[in-house]
Amino acid sequence: MEFAASSRLRTNPQIPYFSSVSKRRCLSPINLPCWYNNRQHQQFSSASVQFSVLPPSRSCSSTKVINMSGDHSREFELSNLTALSPLDGRYWSKVKELAPYMSEYGLIFYRVLVEIKWLLKLSEIPEVTEVPSFSEEAKSFLQGLIDGFSMNDALEVKNIEKVTNHDVKAVEYFLKQKCQSRPEIAEVLEFFHFACTSEDINNLAHALMLKEAVSTVILPSMDKLIEAICNLAKRNAHIPMLSRTHGQTASPTTLGKEMAIFAFRLSRQRQNVSEVELMGKFAGAVGNYNAHLVAYPEINWPQIAEDFVQSLGLQFNPYVTQIEPHDYMAELFNAIVQFNDILIDFDRDIWGYISLGYFKQITKAGEIGSSTMPHKVNPIDFENSEGNLGKANEDLAFLSRKLLISRWQRDLTDSTVLRNMGGGLGHSLLAYKSALQGIGKLQVNEARLSEDLDQSWEVLAEPIQTVMRRYGVPEPYEKLKELTRGRAVTKESIQEFIQGLEVPEEAKTRLLNLTPHSYVGAAIELARTVDSAIEWTRKLAIL
C-alpha cells in the first residue's frame, strides 16, 4: 500500500468554505474544527500533515486538502494495523480459527486435495488402463502431499500463478513438480486435471471449505451460544418479570422463560443450518461429460462423477452447466442469516433489559465505559454483536442472491464473489463470541425487577375479568377497563374490586392471593424444561 508524496496540496471543490467578516465555524480537511476570520491567509504544516486556512476572498473551489504522506512514498506491510478488513486486523484473534478453511490458503489446499483425489480415482477405474493402480507407496506419497500441505506449499503455488496468471492451473503445475521425482506417478502426470474444467475443481473446493468451516467452527459456536442462553433460562426460571407488549406493561412472565424462547428459536435454526446439503459437480466444461466420453466412450462417467463427489462427503448434483449453480449455498447462507436475525432480536432485548436495570454487568478492572462519564458500564458486547450480525447478514444475503444467477452456461461474476464467503462467516462468528461474552457479564437485578412488578397491579385486570367471564358476571372487560385504564391502580384498589365480585368464595380467595409476582402462569416450568424441548425438536429433525 502506497501513499504518494507531494510537495504541494491538492484542491478539493467539495470542502465548504464560509466567508464572513465575523468568525464562522467550519470543518478543515481533516474534519477538525477551525475558525475563519478576516486575517491574511495562514498555512499550518507538520512533517506528515498539511492544511491551509483560506482568506475570505477565496472561493470554495480552490480550497486545499491535506497530503497525508511524508517526503517519500511509504509501503505498508499487512498487519493488524494495516488490514483493510477489521476481521483481518482488529478482530483477527477472535476469527482466526476460520482461516484454515475460508482463506486463500484454504482454497488452495482444497484444490490440491481434489486434484489428488481425482488422480487416485482414475487409478481405480479398470477402463483407464493408462493410469494403473498405484502401489501403496505411491498412494502414501500422494496422501502425504495433502496431509503435509504447508504455508510454504501455498506460497509456491502463488509463485507459479504469477507466471500462469491462472490459479487452478498453478495447482496442477505445482503437483506435477512435486511428483516428478516419483517414477510411478511421473508416468501419469498429464492425468492430473484429466477432463476437468477449472470449475470442477473449484466447486468442490468451495463446498469443502464451507463444509469444514461450518461443521468445525460455526456450528460449535452456535451451540455454545445456545447452551449459554439455556443456562440463563434455567437459572432464572423462577424470577418474575413484568412483560411489555407495545412497550406497555403486560401480563408478567419470568426472566428465564423469556431467555428460553431465544434458546428454542436459535436451536431450531441451528438445526436448519446443519441440514443444508452441500453439493458438488464433476461433469466437465458444460456439464455433459463431453471430453470424457470422447476419450473413454465405454465408461459411465456420470456414475463415476457421482461416486467421486460423494467420496468427498458431498451430495452430487447431476444437472449443471460449467458451474454447480450454488443453490445450496443460498440455502446455507439464508439459514445463517435467519439464525443471525434471531440473535439480533436477543441482543436488542438484552440491551433493553440492561437499560431498564433488570441486568447489571460485571465490571472488569481497568475497563472504561465512557471517555467522559466514569459511571457508565455500556452494553458494548451486545452492541458489537448486533453490528457484526448486520454486516454478516448483508454479506450473506448478497451472496445468496447473486450466486443463483449466471449467464448461459456460466459467467465469471461468481468467481470473485465466492472469495468473500469468509467475510459473512467471520462477522457471524465475531458476533456469536461477542454475545457469549456479554452473557457472561450479566447479573440479574432482582430488586429492580420486583420494583416494577410492585408498581404494576393493573396487570391483574386480565385474570380478574377472565374469572368474571367464567362465572357469568356481566360486562367483565368493560368493568375492569373502567377501573384500570388511565388510572393509578394499587393493591388496595384491586382487592377492593375483587371483594365486591359476585363469584364463589374459592375463586375470590384465589384472586385475592394473586400478585403481579405470582401471576406468571406456566412460565417457570417452560423455562426449566427448555433443554427437553430443544432435544425433542432435534430428534424430530433426525426422523
Side-chain angles (χ1 to χ4, degrees):
M1 184 186 304
E2 297 183 9
F3 290 88
S6 174
S7 60
R8 60 186 179 84
L9 302 178
R10 293 170 292 176
T11 61
N12 187 337
Q14 298 180 345
I15 297 179
Y17 175 78
F18 297 92
S19 176
S20 172
V21 175
S22 63
K23 292 183 179 180
R24 297 284 183 90
R25 193 175 187 189
C26 66
L27 292 180
S28 75
I30 54 173
N31 294 324
L32 294 174
C34 63
W35 295 90
Y36 286 76
N37 57 26
N38 209 15
R39 293 180 296 174
Q40 295 295 316
H41 169 252
Q42 301 176 45
Q43 187 175 59
F44 302 86
S45 65
S46 68
S48 61
V49 178
Q50 296 181 354
F51 61 94
S52 61
V53 178
L54 305 179
S57 60
R58 297 288 295 274
S59 67
C60 292
S61 62
S62 62
T63 302
K64 308 284 186 172
V65 299
I66 65 167
N67 178 357
M68 291 299 291
S69 68
D71 295 334
H72 305 286
S73 63
R74 184 183 311 159
E75 290 190 3
F76 280 8
E77 294 295 330
L78 179 62
S79 72
N80 62 349
L81 292 177
T82 61
L84 294 181
S85 166
L87 294 178
D88 297 318
R90 181 180 182 89
Y91 302 124
W92 171 248
S93 64
K94 296 182 178 181
V95 300
K96 63 182 180 181
E97 61 205 279
L98 279 172
Y101 315 110
M102 302 309 299
S103 62
E104 180 82 357
Y105 168 89
L107 177 58
I108 294 171
F109 167 75
Y110 286 111
R111 284 169 171 162
V112 167
L113 183 150
V114 173
E115 292 276 13
I116 291 174
K117 292 293 186 181
W118 178 233
L119 182 64
L120 289 168
K121 180 66 176 177
L122 290 172
S123 73
E124 297 170 356
I125 303 173
E127 294 87 348
V128 184
T129 56
E130 291 76 10
V131 186
S133 296
F134 289 125
S135 66
E136 290 302 317
E137 182 182 357
K139 291 178 183 178
S140 178
F141 175 79
L142 289 170
Q143 186 61 44
L145 293 178
I146 298 172
D147 297 339
F149 190 79
S150 67
M151 190 63 67
N152 286 334
D153 290 330
L155 290 172
E156 189 174 341
V157 173
K158 294 300 290 183
N159 286 332
I160 297 172
E161 185 186 339
K162 292 177 182 178
V163 179
T164 63
N165 198 30
H166 195 288
D167 47 6
V168 176
K169 204 67 176 176
V171 170
E172 179 188 345
Y173 287 171
F174 165 80
L175 290 172
K176 288 179 176 178
Q177 290 177 11
K178 286 289 184 181
C179 296
Q180 280 179 346
S181 61
R182 298 282 173 163
E184 187 178 350
I185 306 172
E187 291 180 3
V188 294
L189 288 181
E190 291 307 320
F191 281 84
F192 275 119
H193 207 71
F194 174 78
C196 294
T197 182
S198 296
E199 188 57 23
D200 286 326
I201 308 302
N202 280 338
N203 91 95
L204 296 179
H206 286 130
L208 291 171
M209 290 166 68
L210 285 172
K211 182 176 185 290
E212 294 302 318
V214 170
S215 63
T216 306
V217 180
I218 297 299
L219 288 176
S221 296
M222 289 178 171
D223 289 338
K224 289 178 182 178
L225 186 57
I226 293 166
E227 182 182 7
I229 299 174
C230 274
N231 291 336
L232 195 62
K234 290 179 291 185
R235 282 198 309 270
N236 300 290
H238 64 288
I239 297 179
M241 182 181 82
L242 185 66
S243 290
R244 282 177 167 79
T245 57
H246 310 281
Q248 309 301 308
T249 58
S251 301
T253 181
T254 71
L255 180 58
K257 185 263 180 175
E258 300 311 302
M259 299 301 101
I261 292 171
F262 286 108
F264 186 77
R265 293 174 67 194
L266 289 169
S267 179
R268 287 188 68 253
Q269 199 53 39
R270 180 263 185 221
Q271 195 67 28
N272 289 340
V273 172
S274 69
E275 291 173 357
V276 174
E277 293 183 338
L278 279 64
M279 305 189 76
K281 58 86 68 172
F282 212 72
V286 293
N288 300 329
Y289 309 95
N290 304 50
H292 306 65
L293 288 167
V294 170
Y296 294 95
E298 70 279 13
I299 295 177
N300 184 351
W301 287 109
Q303 186 61 55
I304 293 293
E306 181 175 358
D307 293 344
F308 179 61
V309 170
Q310 290 180 347
S311 74
L312 299 175
L314 304 172
Q315 293 297 311
F316 178 64
N317 189 344
Y319 290 96
V320 296
T321 59
Q322 185 173 102
I323 66 171
E324 199 289 322
H326 311 312
D327 295 355
Y328 81 86
M329 288 186 177
E331 294 173 19
L332 176 65
F333 297 148
N334 284 330
I336 295 174
V337 166
Q338 189 165 334
F339 181 96
N340 290 353
D341 280 337
I342 295 169
L343 186 56
I344 288 174
D345 196 22
F346 172 82
D347 287 337
R348 291 179 178 177
D349 273 12
I350 296 295
W351 188 97
Y353 293 143
I354 292 172
S355 179
L356 290 171
Y358 290 180
F359 286 114
K360 295 179 180 179
Q361 296 178 95
I362 299 172
T363 57
K364 185 178 180 181
E367 282 191 349
I368 294 173
S370 167
S371 63
T372 187
M373 293 173 279
H375 68 282
K376 296 188 71 178
V377 183
N378 296 330
I380 56 174
D381 295 306
F382 299 103
E383 292 170 338
N384 182 283
S385 177
E386 180 182 343
N388 277 286
L389 290 168
K391 180 65 172 67
N393 286 358
E394 286 298 317
D395 289 355
L396 295 172
F398 166 71
L399 289 169
S400 67
R401 293 192 305 270
K402 188 276 158 287
L403 291 175
L404 299 179
I405 302 168
S406 183
R407 297 174 184 86
W408 295 342
Q409 282 64 56
R410 92 149 306 176
D411 63 49
L412 204 63
T413 55
D414 67 327
S415 178
T416 186
V417 168
L418 285 166
R419 293 181 181 275
N420 292 277
M421 294 189 299
L425 296 184
H427 283 287
S428 296
L429 177 62
L430 179 57
Y432 306 158
K433 291 187 174 183
S434 293
L436 194 60
Q437 182 170 298
I439 291 170
K441 296 179 181 178
L442 294 177
Q443 284 184 325
V444 178
N445 186 356
E446 292 190 50
R448 182 69 185 88
L449 287 158
S450 182
E451 179 186 353
D452 264 6
L453 289 165
D454 287 338
Q455 296 175 359
S456 304
W457 282 81
E458 66 272 12
V459 298
L460 297 185
E462 180 192 39
I464 294 170
Q465 61 98 7
T466 303
V467 170
M468 291 168 67
R469 289 177 188 276
R470 176 183 176 181
Y471 293 106
V473 178
E475 298 184 329
Y477 180 88
E478 288 73 18
K479 289 176 180 177
L480 267 298
K481 177 181 175 183
E482 181 181 353
L483 173 69
T484 61
R485 195 172 190 190
R487 297 184 182 184
V489 179
T490 64
K491 175 181 179 180
E492 291 72 23
S493 64
I494 282 287
Q495 293 198 339
E496 181 181 353
F497 182 86
I498 295 171
Q499 290 285 7
L501 292 177
E502 294 182 1
V503 297
E505 284 301 316
E506 181 183 356
K508 186 178 293 187
T509 300
R510 191 182 310 119
L511 289 176
L512 287 170
N513 289 332
L514 203 58
T515 71
H517 294 75
S518 63
Y519 180 50
V520 295
I524 295 174
E525 186 63 19
L526 286 168
R528 286 175 175 167
T529 58
V530 62
D531 281 340
S532 299
I534 289 174
E535 185 62 28
W536 178 246
T537 59
R538 289 182 177 176
K539 287 180 179 178
L540 286 178
I542 294 172
L543 295 175

